Coordinates of all heavy atoms in Angstrom, one line a residue:
Chain J
L309 N 81.2 113.0 104.6 CA 82.3 112.8 103.7 C 82.9 111.4 103.8 O 83.8 111.1 102.9 CB 83.4 113.8 104.1 CG 83.2 115.3 103.6 CD1 84.3 116.2 104.1 CD2 83.2 115.3 102.1
A310 N 82.5 110.6 104.7 CA 83.1 109.3 104.9 C 82.8 108.4 103.7 O 83.7 107.6 103.3 CB 82.5 108.6 106.1
L311 N 81.7 108.6 103.0 CA 81.3 107.8 101.8 C 82.3 108.1 100.7 O 82.9 107.1 100.2 CB 79.9 108.0 101.5 CG 79.4 107.1 100.3 CD1 79.6 105.6 100.6 CD2 78.0 107.3 99.9
P312 N 82.4 109.4 100.1 CA 83.3 109.6 99.1 C 84.7 109.3 99.4 O 85.5 108.7 98.5 CB 83.1 111.1 98.7 CG 82.3 111.7 99.9 CD 81.6 110.6 100.5
V313 N 85.2 109.6 100.6 CA 86.6 109.3 100.9 C 86.9 107.8 101.0 O 87.8 107.3 100.4 CB 86.9 110.0 102.3 CG1 88.3 109.5 102.8 CG2 86.9 111.5 102.1
G314 N 85.9 107.1 101.7 CA 86.1 105.6 101.8 C 86.0 105.0 100.4 O 86.7 104.0 100.1
F315 N 85.1 105.5 99.6 CA 84.9 104.8 98.3 C 86.1 105.1 97.4 O 86.5 104.1 96.7 CB 83.6 105.4 97.6 CG 83.4 104.8 96.3 CD1 83.0 103.5 96.1 CD2 83.6 105.5 95.1 CE1 82.8 102.9 94.9 CE2 83.4 105.0 93.9 CZ 83.0 103.7 93.8
A316 N 86.7 106.2 97.4 CA 87.9 106.5 96.7 C 89.0 105.5 97.0 O 89.7 104.9 96.1 CB 88.5 107.9 96.8
W317 N 89.2 105.2 98.3 CA 90.2 104.3 98.8 C 89.9 102.9 98.2 O 90.8 102.2 97.6 CB 90.2 104.3 100.3 CG 91.2 103.4 101.0 CD1 92.4 103.1 100.5 CD2 91.1 102.9 102.2 NE1 93.1 102.3 101.4 CE2 92.3 102.2 102.5 CE3 90.2 102.8 103.2 CZ2 92.6 101.5 103.6 CZ3 90.4 102.1 104.4 CH2 91.6 101.4 104.6
A318 N 88.7 102.4 98.5 CA 88.2 101.0 98.0 C 88.3 100.9 96.5 O 88.8 99.9 96.0 CB 86.9 100.6 98.6
F319 N 87.9 101.9 95.8 CA 87.8 101.9 94.3 C 89.2 101.8 93.7 O 89.5 101.3 92.7 CB 87.0 103.1 93.8 CG 86.7 102.9 92.3 CD1 85.9 101.9 91.8 CD2 87.2 103.8 91.4 CE1 85.6 101.8 90.5 CE2 87.0 103.6 90.0 CZ 86.1 102.6 89.6
A320 N 90.2 102.5 94.5 CA 91.6 102.4 94.0 C 92.1 101.0 94.0 O 92.8 100.5 93.1 CB 92.5 103.3 94.8
W321 N 91.7 100.3 95.1 CA 92.1 98.8 95.1 C 91.4 98.0 94.0 O 92.0 97.1 93.5 CB 91.7 98.3 96.5 CG 92.8 98.6 97.6 CD1 92.7 99.5 98.6 CD2 94.1 98.1 97.7 NE1 93.8 99.6 99.3 CE2 94.8 98.7 98.8 CE3 94.9 97.2 96.9 CZ2 96.0 98.4 99.2 CZ3 96.2 96.9 97.3 CH2 96.7 97.5 98.4
L322 N 90.1 98.4 93.8 CA 89.4 97.7 92.8 C 90.1 97.9 91.4 O 90.1 97.0 90.6 CB 87.9 98.2 92.8 CG 86.9 97.3 92.2 CD1 86.8 96.0 92.8 CD2 85.5 98.0 92.3
A323 N 90.5 99.1 91.2 CA 91.1 99.4 89.9 C 92.4 98.6 89.7 O 92.8 98.1 88.7 CB 91.4 100.9 89.7
V324 N 93.2 98.5 90.8 CA 94.4 97.6 90.8 C 94.1 96.2 90.5 O 94.7 95.5 89.7 CB 95.2 97.7 92.2 CG1 96.3 96.8 92.3 CG2 95.7 99.1 92.4
L325 N 93.0 95.7 91.2 CA 92.6 94.3 91.0 C 92.2 94.1 89.5 O 92.5 93.1 88.9 CB 91.4 93.9 91.9 CG 91.8 93.6 93.3 CD1 90.6 93.8 94.2 CD2 92.3 92.2 93.5
A326 N 91.5 95.0 88.9 CA 91.0 95.0 87.6 C 92.2 94.9 86.6 O 92.2 94.1 85.7 CB 90.1 96.1 87.2
A327 N 93.2 95.8 86.8 CA 94.4 95.8 85.9 C 95.1 94.6 86.0 O 95.6 94.0 84.9 CB 95.3 97.0 86.4
I328 N 95.3 94.0 87.2 CA 96.0 92.7 87.3 C 95.3 91.6 86.7 O 95.8 90.6 86.0 CB 96.3 92.3 88.8 CG1 97.2 93.4 89.4 CG2 97.0 91.0 88.9 CD1 97.4 93.3 90.9
S329 N 93.9 91.7 86.8 CA 93.0 90.6 86.2 C 93.2 90.5 84.7 O 92.7 89.4 84.1 CB 91.6 90.9 86.6 OG 90.8 90.0 86.1
V330 N 93.7 91.5 84.1 CA 93.8 91.3 82.6 C 94.9 90.3 82.2 O 94.8 89.6 81.2 CB 94.2 92.8 82.0 CG1 94.5 92.6 80.5 CG2 93.1 93.8 82.2
V331 N 95.9 90.2 83.1 CA 97.0 89.3 82.8 C 97.1 88.1 83.7 O 97.9 87.2 83.4 CB 98.4 90.1 82.8 CG1 98.5 91.0 81.6 CG2 98.5 90.9 84.1
A332 N 96.3 88.1 84.8 CA 96.4 86.9 85.7 C 95.2 86.0 85.5 O 94.1 86.4 85.2 CB 96.3 87.4 87.2
R333 N 95.5 84.7 85.5 CA 94.5 83.7 85.2 C 93.4 83.7 86.3 O 93.7 83.8 87.5 CB 95.1 82.3 85.2 CG 95.6 81.9 83.9 CD 96.5 80.7 84.1 NE 97.2 80.4 82.8 CZ 96.8 79.6 81.9 NH1 95.6 79.0 82.0 NH2 97.5 79.4 80.8
G334 N 92.2 83.4 85.9 CA 91.1 83.2 86.9 C 91.0 84.2 88.0 O 91.1 85.4 87.7
A335 N 90.9 83.7 89.2 CA 90.8 84.6 90.4 C 92.2 84.9 91.0 O 92.3 85.4 92.1 CB 89.9 84.1 91.4
S336 N 93.3 84.6 90.2 CA 94.6 84.7 90.9 C 95.0 86.2 91.1 O 95.9 86.5 91.9 CB 95.7 84.1 90.0 OG 95.7 84.6 88.8
N337 N 94.2 87.1 90.5 CA 94.5 88.5 90.8 C 94.3 88.8 92.3 O 95.1 89.5 93.0 CB 93.7 89.5 90.0 CG 92.2 89.4 90.2 OD1 91.7 88.3 90.6 ND2 91.5 90.4 89.9
T338 N 93.3 88.2 92.9 CA 93.0 88.3 94.3 C 94.2 87.8 95.2 O 94.6 88.5 96.1 CB 91.7 87.5 94.7 OG1 90.7 87.8 93.7 CG2 91.2 87.9 96.0
F339 N 94.7 86.7 94.7 CA 95.8 86.0 95.4 C 97.0 87.0 95.4 O 97.7 87.2 96.4 CB 96.2 84.7 94.8 CG 97.5 84.1 95.3 CD1 97.5 83.4 96.4 CD2 98.7 84.3 94.5 CE1 98.7 82.9 96.9 CE2 99.8 83.7 94.9 CZ 99.9 83.1 96.2
W340 N 97.4 87.6 94.3 CA 98.5 88.4 94.2 C 98.4 89.7 95.0 O 99.3 90.1 95.7 CB 98.8 88.9 92.7 CG 99.2 87.7 91.9 CD1 98.6 87.1 90.8 CD2 100.4 86.9 92.1 NE1 99.3 86.1 90.3 CE2 100.4 85.9 91.1 CE3 101.5 86.9 93.0 CZ2 101.4 84.9 91.0 CZ3 102.5 86.0 92.9 CH2 102.5 85.0 91.9
V341 N 97.2 90.3 95.0 CA 97.0 91.5 95.8 C 97.1 91.1 97.3 O 97.8 91.8 98.1 CB 95.7 92.2 95.5 CG1 95.3 93.2 96.4 CG2 95.7 92.8 94.1
L342 N 96.4 90.0 97.7 CA 96.4 89.7 99.1 C 97.8 89.3 99.6 O 98.2 89.7 100.7 CB 95.5 88.4 99.3 CG 94.8 88.2 100.7 CD1 94.1 89.5 101.1 CD2 93.9 87.1 100.7
T343 N 98.6 88.6 98.7 CA 99.9 88.3 99.1 C 100.8 89.5 99.3 O 101.6 89.6 100.2 CB 100.6 87.3 98.0 OG1 99.7 86.2 97.8 CG2 101.9 86.8 98.5
T344 N 100.6 90.4 98.4 CA 101.4 91.7 98.5 C 101.0 92.4 99.8 O 101.9 93.0 100.4 CB 101.1 92.6 97.2 OG1 101.2 91.7 96.1 CG2 102.1 93.7 97.2
V345 N 99.7 92.5 100.1 CA 99.2 93.2 101.3 C 99.9 92.5 102.5 O 100.4 93.2 103.4 CB 97.8 93.2 101.4 CG1 97.3 93.7 102.7 CG2 97.2 94.1 100.3
V346 N 99.9 91.2 102.5 CA 100.5 90.4 103.7 C 102.0 90.7 103.8 O 102.5 91.0 104.9 CB 100.1 88.9 103.6 CG1 100.9 88.1 104.6 CG2 98.7 88.7 103.8
L347 N 102.7 90.6 102.7 CA 104.1 90.8 102.7 C 104.5 92.3 103.1 O 105.4 92.5 103.8 CB 104.7 90.6 101.3 CG 104.8 89.1 100.9 CD1 105.4 88.9 99.5 CD2 105.8 88.4 101.9
W348 N 103.6 93.2 102.6 CA 103.8 94.6 102.9 C 103.7 94.8 104.5 O 104.6 95.5 105.1 CB 102.7 95.4 102.2 CG 102.8 96.9 102.4 CD1 103.5 97.8 101.6 CD2 102.1 97.7 103.5 NE1 103.3 99.1 102.1 CE2 102.5 99.0 103.2 CE3 101.3 97.4 104.5 CZ2 102.0 100.1 104.0 CZ3 100.8 98.4 105.3 CH2 101.2 99.7 105.1
A349 N 102.6 94.3 105.1 CA 102.4 94.4 106.5 C 103.5 93.7 107.3 O 104.1 94.3 108.3 CB 101.1 93.8 106.9
L350 N 104.0 92.6 106.8 CA 105.0 91.8 107.5 C 106.3 92.6 107.4 O 107.0 92.8 108.4 CB 105.2 90.5 106.7 CG 105.8 89.4 107.5 CD1 104.7 88.9 108.5 CD2 106.1 88.1 106.6
A351 N 106.6 93.3 106.3 CA 107.8 94.1 106.2 C 107.8 95.3 107.1 O 108.7 95.6 107.8 CB 108.0 94.5 104.7
K352 N 106.6 95.9 107.1 CA 106.4 97.1 107.9 C 106.6 96.8 109.4 O 107.4 97.5 110.1 CB 105.0 97.7 107.7 CG 104.7 98.9 108.4 CD 103.4 99.5 108.2 CE 103.1 100.6 109.2 NZ 101.8 101.3 108.8
F353 N 106.0 95.8 109.9 CA 106.0 95.5 111.4 C 107.3 94.9 111.8 O 107.7 95.1 112.9 CB 104.8 94.7 111.8 CG 103.5 95.4 111.7 CD1 102.5 95.1 110.8 CD2 103.3 96.6 112.5 CE1 101.3 95.8 110.7 CE2 102.2 97.3 112.4 CZ 101.2 97.0 111.5
S354 N 107.9 94.0 110.9 CA 109.2 93.4 111.3 C 110.3 94.5 111.4 O 111.1 94.5 112.2 CB 109.5 92.2 110.5 OG 109.5 92.6 109.1
L355 N 110.2 95.4 110.4 CA 111.2 96.5 110.4 C 111.1 97.4 111.6 O 112.0 97.8 112.3 CB 111.0 97.4 109.1 CG 111.7 96.9 107.9 CD1 111.5 97.9 106.7 CD2 113.3 96.9 108.1
A356 N 109.8 97.7 112.0 CA 109.5 98.6 113.2 C 110.1 97.8 114.4 O 110.7 98.4 115.4 CB 108.1 98.9 113.2
G357 N 109.8 96.5 114.5 CA 110.2 95.7 115.7 C 111.7 95.7 115.8 O 112.2 95.9 116.8
A358 N 112.3 95.3 114.7 CA 113.8 95.2 114.6 C 114.5 96.5 115.0 O 115.4 96.6 115.8 CB 114.2 94.7 113.3
N359 N 113.8 97.6 114.5 CA 114.4 99.0 114.8 C 114.3 99.3 116.3 O 115.2 99.9 116.8 CB 113.6 100.0 114.0 CG 114.2 101.4 114.2 OD1 115.4 101.6 114.0 ND2 113.3 102.3 114.5
L360 N 113.2 98.8 116.8 CA 113.0 99.2 118.3 C 114.1 98.5 119.2 O 114.6 99.0 120.1 CB 111.6 98.7 118.7 CG 110.8 99.4 119.8 CD1 110.5 100.8 119.2 CD2 109.6 98.7 120.2
I361 N 114.3 97.2 118.8 CA 115.4 96.3 119.5 C 116.7 97.0 119.3 O 117.6 97.1 120.2 CB 115.3 94.9 119.0 CG1 114.0 94.3 119.4 CG2 116.4 94.1 119.6 CD1 113.7 92.9 118.7
A362 N 117.1 97.4 118.0 CA 118.3 97.9 117.7 C 118.6 99.2 118.4 O 119.7 99.4 118.9 CB 118.4 98.1 116.1
E363 N 117.6 100.1 118.5 CA 117.8 101.3 119.2 C 117.9 101.2 120.7 O 118.6 101.9 121.3 CB 116.6 102.3 118.9 CG 116.6 102.9 117.5 CD 115.6 104.0 117.3 OE1 114.6 104.0 118.0 OE2 115.8 104.9 116.4
K364 N 117.2 100.2 121.2 CA 117.3 99.9 122.6 C 118.7 99.4 123.0 O 119.2 99.8 124.1 CB 116.3 98.9 123.0 CG 115.6 99.1 124.4 CD 114.5 98.2 124.6 CE 113.7 98.6 125.9 NZ 112.5 97.8 126.0
N365 N 119.3 98.7 122.1 CA 120.6 98.1 122.4 C 121.8 99.0 121.9 O 122.9 98.7 122.1 CB 120.8 96.7 121.7 CG 119.9 95.7 122.4 OD1 119.9 95.6 123.7 ND2 119.1 94.9 121.7
H366 N 121.4 100.1 121.2 CA 122.4 101.0 120.7 C 123.4 100.3 119.8 O 124.6 100.7 119.8 CB 123.1 101.8 121.8 CG 122.2 102.5 122.7 ND1 121.5 103.7 122.2 CD2 121.8 102.3 123.9 CE1 120.8 104.1 123.2 NE2 120.9 103.3 124.3
K367 N 122.9 99.4 119.0 CA 123.8 98.8 117.9 C 123.0 98.4 116.7 O 121.9 98.8 116.6 CB 124.6 97.6 118.5 CG 123.8 96.6 119.3 CD 124.7 95.5 119.8 CE 124.1 94.6 120.8 NZ 124.9 93.6 121.3
W368 N 123.6 97.8 115.8 CA 123.0 97.4 114.5 C 122.4 98.6 113.8 O 121.2 98.7 113.5 CB 121.9 96.3 114.6 CG 122.4 95.1 115.4 CD1 123.5 94.4 115.1 CD2 121.7 94.5 116.5 NE1 123.6 93.4 116.0 CE2 122.5 93.4 116.9 CE3 120.6 94.8 117.2 CZ2 122.2 92.6 118.0 CZ3 120.3 94.0 118.3 CH2 121.1 92.9 118.7
E369 N 123.3 99.5 113.5 CA 122.8 100.8 112.8 C 122.2 100.6 111.5 O 121.4 101.4 111.0 CB 123.9 101.8 112.7 CG 123.9 102.8 113.9 CD 125.0 103.9 113.7 OE1 125.3 104.2 112.6 OE2 125.4 104.5 114.8

Side-chain angles (χ1 to χ4, degrees):
Chain J
L309 283 173
L311 182 60
V313 170
F315 180 71
W317 184 29
F319 191 66
W321 280 107
L322 202 57
V324 171
L325 282 159
I328 299 173
S329 179
V330 176
V331 286
R333 273 167 191 269
S336 60
N337 63 334
T338 314
F339 170 80
W340 291 117
V341 168
L342 206 55
T343 309
T344 313
V345 169
V346 169
L347 286 177
W348 183 90
L350 211 65
K352 183 180 169 169
F353 291 115
S354 56
L355 273 177
N359 181 52
L360 216 64
I361 296 168
E363 280 190 337
K364 218 170 189 174
N365 290 314
H366 301 290
K367 46 183 173 182
W368 307 309
E369 262 187 27

